[in-house]
Amino acid sequence: NKIILKIVVQIMNGMTRITADVRKMMISWEEYKLLWEKDKDSCLRRYAKANRSLESYDRDVTRHKKDQIEIESLDSTCTRNIVKIDFSLLKTVLISHCVDWQHKLTGQLHKNAEEQLRDLHNLFDSSKAKLSTIPHDFADLRVTIECLDELRTDLPNIESKFNPVEATYRVLEKFLVNISDDEQIMLESLHLKWESFEHVLDDAQVIVDECKLTMGHQLSESIEKHKECVRNFREEVITALPTPDDSMDVALSRISSLQKKAKFLRNEETALQPGMELFGFDLQENKQLVDSERDLSLMHMIWTLASEWEKLLNKWKTQPLSTLDTESMENAATTFQKNIGKMRREISSWGIWASLRDRVEIFKTASLPVVVDLKCDALCDRHWESLKKKIGRTLDCSLDTLTFGDVFTLGLNEYSDFLAELSVNARKEESIEKSLDELKQRWFDIELELSIYKEVYYKIKSTEDLFSALEDDSISLSTMKVSKFYYGSIKSKIDEWDQKLSKISETVDMVLIVQRKWIYLENIFMAAGDISKQLPKEHLTFLSVNTEFKDMMGHAFSHPQVTKLCCG
C-alpha cells in the first residue's frame, strides 16, 4: 500500500532528523556523571585522612547544593517532532545523589566538630579533676606540677581551637544540619568553661606552692634523719661485724641482720630520691652506706666461704682414708685458696680472712700430706708398729676403718714429720725389695752357656754375660748394704743373694779351672796310644774323674739354670 509505505518513510526520515537533537540532549546530562560514578565512601575516607579544611567542606557542599538546584530547574520532558523524551527518572536519581553527597559531607564535618568540642570539654573536666586533688607525696606533687606546666604551656594552643570549632558549627547551621541539645549547650558554654579552667589553673598553682613549701621542709628533715641513721649504722657495722671467735651460725645470722638494715636504709634513700630530684637536691650516693653495703657483702662472702670449707672438711672427716681422693682434696683446697686470695686487697686486715687463709694453708701443707703418707701403699706392719710406738698408743691400721677425723683425734697430724720420713723410708724399702725381686727373677732366667765338645762331652762355652751380670748385681747389693735400710728382712734377703752370687762366681771359676785342666788331660789319656800302659794308675784315676766330669757337665747342659746349678 503506497500510502502506508509513504507514512513509514516519513516516520523514519523524521526519526533520523531528530537523532542528533536527542543525542545533544543526552550529552547535556553527562556533566553530572561524577555524581554517580564517584565512590562516596572512598572519597570521604580520603577527606578524613587528608584532614581537609573547613573551606573545602563548605565549597564542596555548596557545589553539590548548587548542582541540586540546577538539576531541579531542568525540564523533566522534551518533545522533538513526534518523539517525547522523559528525563524525570534520571533527574530524580541525580537529585538523590546531590542530597546524599551533602549529607555525607556535612555528616563527616559534624562528626569532626563534635569530637573537637567534646575533646575540649573533656580536657577541662579531666584537668580540673587532676589539679583539684591535693598531692600526698612527692610522686603526686611531681605529676601535678608537670600537668600544670604542660597545660600552661599549651593554653594558646587550646584557645586557638575555639574559633575553628565555632566556625564549623556555623557552617553546619548554614547547611541546616541538626545539632543536638547536648552539643548546643557545650558550644554555648565553651567560653565559660574556659574562664573556669583558667581559675582552676590559678587555684592549682596555689596548692602546688603550698605543698612545695610543706614537703620541702619535710624532705630536708627526712634527709638529715636518714644521714644520721646511716652514720649510726656505719658505726654499728664497724663494731658489730663477727670475729673469727664467733661460730658460723652466729656470724652469718649477724651479717644477715645487718644486711636487712642496709637494705631498709637503701630503700629509704630510694624513696627520698623523687623528692630530691623534684627540689634539686644533690643526688650523690651516701658513701657511708655504700661502704657499709660493700663491707657486709664481702663479710658475707668470706663467712660463706668459711662455712663451705667447714662443711667440706667435716664431710672428709667422716670418710675412711681408703675412700679419700687426695688429689681432688688438694684441688678443692687450691680453689678455696684462689677465692680467698681474690679478696686479699679488700679485706686482708680482717681476722676472719687471715684465719680462713691459715686454716686452708695448714690443711694443704700439713694435714693433707699426713693423709697421703698414711695412704702410702709401701707401709707394712713394721711401719705401723713403728708409728704406734712413736705416738705411744694403740692404732687401727686398717685404712677402711681409720677416718680422716681419727687423724686429728689421735693427734697423728702432730707427727707429720715422722710420718713423712716413715712413708719415704717405706717407699725406699719397697724400692729395694722390688730391686731384689727383679734380681731374683733375673737370675732365675740366667743360664750357663754350654756347647758340645768332641761329640760326647759338654763344656762351658762363654761366661762373659754371666760375669757381667755378677759384677753389676754385686755392686747393687754392695750399695744396698751401705744404706740405712740394711736391716731386718731386707738385710737377710741382701745377705742371701750376696752369698748366692759369691757362690755362683766361685763355682763357675772353679769349673772353668777344672775344665781347662780336663781338656788338657783328656787329650792325653783318652787319645789312642800306650799312655794307659805307661801310666796305668794315673789312667784309671783319670777315667774315673772323666766319667764324673762328663756326667756333671751333661747334667748342666740339661739343666742350665745357673742358680740351681751353683746354689742347689
Side-chain angles (χ1 to χ4, degrees), residues 320-338:
L321 296 185
S322 61
T323 64
L324 290 177
D325 183 354
T326 54
E327 184 178 355
S328 66
M329 292 169 72
E330 184 177 10
N331 292 337
T334 301
T335 301
F336 271 91
Q337 282 183 319
K338 289 180 180 178

Side-chain angles (χ1 to χ4, degrees), residues 22 25-26 29 74-80 83-92:
V22 172
M25 284 187 288
M26 293 298 295
W29 290 93
L74 294 175
D75 293 332
S76 299
T77 59
C78 180
T79 302
R80 290 292 186 270
V83 177
K84 181 179 180 181
I85 303 172
D86 189 354
F87 293 105
S88 57
L89 185 57
L90 176 59
K91 183 177 176 180
T92 301

Side-chain angles (χ1 to χ4, degrees), residues 41 60 101 126 140 142 145 147 152 202 228 249 319 410 416 514 563:
D41 293 333
D60 290 342
W101 272 109
S126 61
D140 291 344
R142 175 181 287 278
I145 291 174
C147 178
R152 286 197 178 282
D202 294 337
E228 181 64 24
D249 293 339
Q319 294 180 247
L410 298 171
S416 57
V514 172
T563 307

Side-chain angles (χ1 to χ4, degrees), residues 49-154:
K49 187 175 181 181
N51 196 20
R52 300 290 289 272
S53 65
L54 178 61
E55 289 74 14
S56 296
Y57 278 97
D58 191 358
R59 185 173 57 253
D60 290 342
V61 174
T62 300
R63 177 165 53 80
H64 288 301
K65 184 69 175 176
K66 181 181 176 183
D67 289 342
Q68 177 186 350
I69 294 171
E70 288 179 356
I71 294 169
E72 287 176 347
S73 66
L74 294 175
D75 293 332
S76 299
T77 59
C78 180
T79 302
R80 290 292 186 270
N81 294 333
I82 62 172
V83 177
K84 181 179 180 181
I85 303 172
D86 189 354
F87 293 105
S88 57
L89 185 57
L90 176 59
K91 183 177 176 180
T92 301
V93 172
L94 290 176
I95 291 171
S96 174
H97 277 296
C98 288
V99 172
D100 198 18
W101 272 109
Q102 293 174 63
H103 286 167
K104 286 186 179 293
L105 288 170
T106 55
Q108 181 67 40
L109 186 61
H110 185 197
K111 179 183 176 184
N112 294 343
E114 185 179 3
E115 287 179 355
Q116 294 171 5
L117 181 62
R118 291 191 182 278
D119 286 345
L120 287 170
H121 278 271
N122 289 337
L123 175 64
F124 297 152
D125 294 338
S126 61
S127 299
K128 181 179 180 181
K130 284 183 181 179
L131 298 176
S132 298
T133 303
I134 298 177
H136 294 93
D137 52 33
F138 296 116
D140 291 344
L141 182 58
R142 175 181 287 278
V143 170
T144 302
I145 291 174
E146 289 177 352
C147 178
L148 186 59
D149 291 343
E150 182 181 350
L151 290 172
R152 286 197 178 282
T153 303
D154 205 33

Side-chain angles (χ1 to χ4, degrees), residues 33-275:
K33 66 185 300 182
L34 289 177
L35 291 173
W36 70 79
E37 286 186 346
K38 214 173 196 182
D39 188 342
K40 299 179 183 64
D41 293 333
S42 297
C43 185
L44 286 174
R45 283 194 295 271
R46 288 195 297 273
Y47 254 67
K49 187 175 181 181
N51 196 20
R52 300 290 289 272
S53 65
L54 178 61
E55 289 74 14
S56 296
Y57 278 97
D58 191 358
R59 185 173 57 253
D60 290 342
V61 174
T62 300
R63 177 165 53 80
H64 288 301
K65 184 69 175 176
K66 181 181 176 183
D67 289 342
Q68 177 186 350
I69 294 171
E70 288 179 356
I71 294 169
E72 287 176 347
S73 66
L74 294 175
D75 293 332
S76 299
T77 59
C78 180
T79 302
R80 290 292 186 270
N81 294 333
I82 62 172
V83 177
K84 181 179 180 181
I85 303 172
D86 189 354
F87 293 105
S88 57
L89 185 57
L90 176 59
K91 183 177 176 180
T92 301
V93 172
L94 290 176
I95 291 171
S96 174
H97 277 296
C98 288
V99 172
D100 198 18
W101 272 109
Q102 293 174 63
H103 286 167
K104 286 186 179 293
L105 288 170
T106 55
Q108 181 67 40
L109 186 61
H110 185 197
K111 179 183 176 184
N112 294 343
E114 185 179 3
E115 287 179 355
Q116 294 171 5
L117 181 62
R118 291 191 182 278
D119 286 345
L120 287 170
H121 278 271
N122 289 337
L123 175 64
F124 297 152
D125 294 338
S126 61
S127 299
K128 181 179 180 181
K130 284 183 181 179
L131 298 176
S132 298
T133 303
I134 298 177
H136 294 93
D137 52 33
F138 296 116
D140 291 344
L141 182 58
R142 175 181 287 278
V143 170
T144 302
I145 291 174
E146 289 177 352
C147 178
L148 186 59
D149 291 343
E150 182 181 350
L151 290 172
R152 286 197 178 282
T153 303
D154 205 33
L155 282 177
N157 181 48
I158 298 171
E159 190 174 14
S160 67
K161 296 178 181 179
F162 291 1
N163 288 336
V165 171
E166 292 170 338
T168 302
Y169 274 98
R170 284 196 295 272
V171 171
L172 293 173
E173 184 179 1
K174 168 184 169 183
F175 293 116
L176 305 178
V177 176
N178 184 36
I179 306 299
S180 67
D181 294 339
D182 184 37
E183 283 181 81
Q184 193 65 42
I185 292 171
M186 286 194 294
L187 184 62
E188 292 173 356
S189 64
L190 187 60
H191 288 279
L192 291 175
K193 273 286 188 77
W194 172 247
E195 292 176 3
S196 175
F197 178 67
E198 290 180 317
H199 291 308
V200 168
L201 296 183
D202 294 337
D203 294 341
Q205 187 63 57
V206 173
I207 294 174
V208 166
D209 292 340
E210 292 177 352
C211 289
K212 286 175 71 173
L213 183 63
T214 303
M215 289 186 179
H217 180 68
Q218 293 174 348
L219 177 63
S220 298
E221 292 181 349
S222 298
I223 292 173
E224 290 304 318
K225 182 180 178 182
H226 175 72
K227 289 180 178 179
E228 181 64 24
C229 290
V230 170
R231 282 193 293 270
N232 294 336
F233 178 66
R234 180 59 180 163
E235 292 176 1
E236 182 181 3
V237 168
I238 294 172
T239 57
L241 283 175
T243 65
D245 297 330
D246 293 323
S247 67
M248 290 291 174
D249 293 339
V250 170
L252 291 174
S253 175
R254 191 178 302 166
I255 293 170
S256 176
S257 176
L258 290 171
Q259 284 181 322
K260 289 179 180 178
K261 290 183 179 180
K263 185 177 181 181
F264 173 80
L265 290 173
R266 177 60 67 188
N267 291 337
E268 190 177 71
E269 183 179 85
T270 302
L272 291 172
Q273 284 182 351

